[in-house]
């Protein structure tokens, strides 16, 4: 099969591309470096010629709902339109567990993105996953009070990005399934513990206070709204195992 991956150079995208190729399929990376711009649609028609499936893991770094909605509406809208014109068999979208339970600005963009895929002319599959193990690294870099790194209190059940990529590749090679079961890591973790453990692993020895960070995302996560339901599929690699392998 010929499987195109939008966002194929990112955290989960590169694992998706690797899994597609390991399974013996042809992976096409949709990226600006390859002459493809999802927001404008430039290069999409040529890139999707002959594609059997498309995996959408493209993302944007923003904390504004308007920016997230604008990006996902344009990028995914162009992607599904080009996929329909090319006769692609299905679009597989990666989404996030809890986006309909947490009123977080970025999640508003993901909800809009899901609706675009569901309303498209192309058969579709949507997989929601929990935060990746790399979430600890992101929080360590971003969560600061002046020069002080902080460890936000939050409940999460992180999953290995490699396992998410493998699941997306398998879904792309199968028939469209609509909304499939969520994918989460093997156990619940406390985000503050993850951030502290990541910091120590990198050699940081400074003070990292635990705090209840304000805002809808962290409040929702503290309440457990980002955790998977009892019917979710569980990955195998724990956060501790991921950290030890770094």
């Amino acid at each position: 099969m010929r499987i195109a991956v939008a966002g194929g150079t990112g955290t989960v995208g590169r694992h998706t591309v690797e899994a597609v190729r390991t399974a013996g399929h042809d992976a096409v990376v949709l990226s600006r470096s390859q002459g493809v711009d999802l927001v404008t649609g430039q290069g999409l028609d040529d890139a999707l010629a002959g594609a059997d499936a498309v995996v959408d893991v493209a993302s944007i770094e923003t904390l504004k709902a308007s920016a997230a909605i604008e990006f996902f509406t344009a990028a995914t809208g162009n992607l599904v339109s080009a996929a329909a014109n090319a006769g692609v068999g299905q679009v597989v979208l990666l989404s996030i567990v809890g986006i309909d339970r947490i009123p977080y600005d970025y999640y508003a963009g993901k909800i809009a993105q899901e609706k675009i895929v569901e309303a498209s002319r192309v058969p579709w599959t949507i997989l929601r996953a929990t935060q990746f193990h790399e979430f600890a690294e992101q929080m360590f870099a971003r969560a600061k009070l002046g020069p002080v790194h902080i460890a936000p209190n939050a409940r999460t059940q992180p999953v290995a990005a490699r396992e998410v990529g493998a699941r997306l590749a398998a879904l792309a090679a199968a028939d469209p399934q609509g909304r499939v079961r969520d994918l989460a890591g093997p156990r619940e973790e406390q985000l503050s513990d993850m951030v502290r453990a990541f910091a120590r692993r990198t050699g940081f020895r400074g003070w990292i206070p635990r705090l209840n960070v304000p805002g809808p995302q962290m409040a929702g996560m503290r309440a457990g709204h980002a955790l998977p339901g009892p019917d979710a599929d569980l990955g195998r690699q724990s956060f501790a195992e991921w950290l030890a392998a770094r």
Side-chain angles (χ1 to χ4, degrees):
M1 295 181 64
R2 183 177 176 85
I3 300 174
V5 183
T9 59
T11 300
V12 70
R14 58 190 176 87
H15 291 303
T16 305
V17 170
E18 179 185 1
V20 166
R21 291 173 175 164
T22 298
H25 305 298
D26 180 19
V28 179
V29 178
L30 306 182
S31 66
R32 288 180 178 173
S33 63
Q34 300 298 321
V36 177
D37 189 322
L38 295 176
V39 174
T40 66
Q42 179 183 353
L44 267 176
D45 290 337
D46 290 339
L48 294 184
D52 298 294
V54 173
V55 178
D56 187 358
V57 292
S59 187
I60 183 176
E61 290 191 11
T62 182
L63 298 179
K64 295 183 178 180
S66 58
I69 292 172
E70 181 180 3
F71 171 79
F72 287 118
T73 299
T76 300
N78 287 332
L79 187 61
V80 297
S81 178
N85 292 337
V88 172
Q90 75 158 322
V91 171
V92 179
L93 173 66
L94 174 63
S95 193
I96 307 170
V97 170
I99 58 173
D100 46 3
R101 299 192 294 264
I102 301 176
Y104 174 47
D105 288 348
Y106 179 80
Y107 289 175
K110 294 297 291 184
I111 290 174
Q113 183 187 34
E114 286 190 359
K115 291 180 179 178
I116 289 171
V117 170
E118 291 169 351
S120 73
R121 292 178 288 150
V122 184
W124 53 272
T125 300
I126 294 178
L127 170 69
R128 286 184 179 181
T130 54
Q131 285 74 26
F132 308 140
H133 295 319
E134 286 84 355
F135 191 49
E137 181 177 5
Q138 295 169 359
M139 286 295 99
F140 175 70
R142 298 173 186 172
K144 292 183 178 182
L145 288 176
V148 179
H149 292 270
I150 63 174
N153 291 316
R155 299 173 66 190
T156 183
Q157 194 161 327
V159 63
R162 182 180 298 278
E163 293 177 351
V164 178
R167 176 64 57 85
L168 290 169
L171 290 171
D175 293 331
Q177 301 179 50
R179 173 79 183 275
V180 296
R181 287 189 295 185
D182 296 344
L183 179 60
R187 53 171 287 179
E188 182 180 334
E189 305 279 359
Q190 173 54 241
L191 179 59
S192 58
D193 292 337
M194 292 169 58
V195 171
R196 285 182 159 189
F198 174 82
R200 301 302 180 238
R201 182 70 176 176
T202 62
F204 182 83
R205 294 293 179 265
W207 180 47
I208 310 177
R210 302 175 190 265
L211 292 177
N212 287 343
V213 175
Q217 183 191 25
M218 289 297 124
M221 292 186 70
R222 286 194 297 274
H225 297 326
L227 297 176
D231 61 341
D233 291 329
L234 302 183
R236 300 183 63 180
Q237 186 185 49
S238 68
F239 175 73
E241 291 169 337
W242 172 83
L243 193 60
R246 286 180 60 86

